[in-house]
Amino acid sequence: MAGRVSFRQDRCKGCGLCVHVCPVKIIFLDDTKTNRKGYHPATITEMDKCIACANCARMCPDSIITVERL
């Protein structure tokens, strides 16, 4: 099953929990960007590999991740 993940990058605190629980390893902290809180926000490298497991959204302490099943 395919999915689409979106992050409210302006609220991400860069804790990396989502990175560690992603079974397909497509989430990373983008060290080329800094959000308004001063953190490197999480982002996706290859959206087409997302399996919509929602592990990232469940793990996020700030509820900034939305997962859609396609």
Side-chain angles (χ1 to χ4, degrees), residues 11-33:
R11 296 189 57 221
C12 179
K13 62 183 178 187
C15 68
L17 293 174
C18 57
V19 175
H20 297 294
V21 299
C22 180
V24 290
K25 305 298 182 204
I26 58 173
I27 303 174
F28 71 101
L29 297 180
D30 189 349
D31 60 2
T32 65
K33 295 180 185 175

Side-chain angles (χ1 to χ4, degrees), residues 39-61:
Y39 299 111
H40 298 298
T43 193
I44 295 281
T45 55
E46 301 170 83
M47 190 69 70
D48 58 319
K49 292 185 178 181
C50 179
I51 60 172
C53 66
N55 286 349
C56 56
R58 283 191 294 273
M59 185 58 72
C60 182

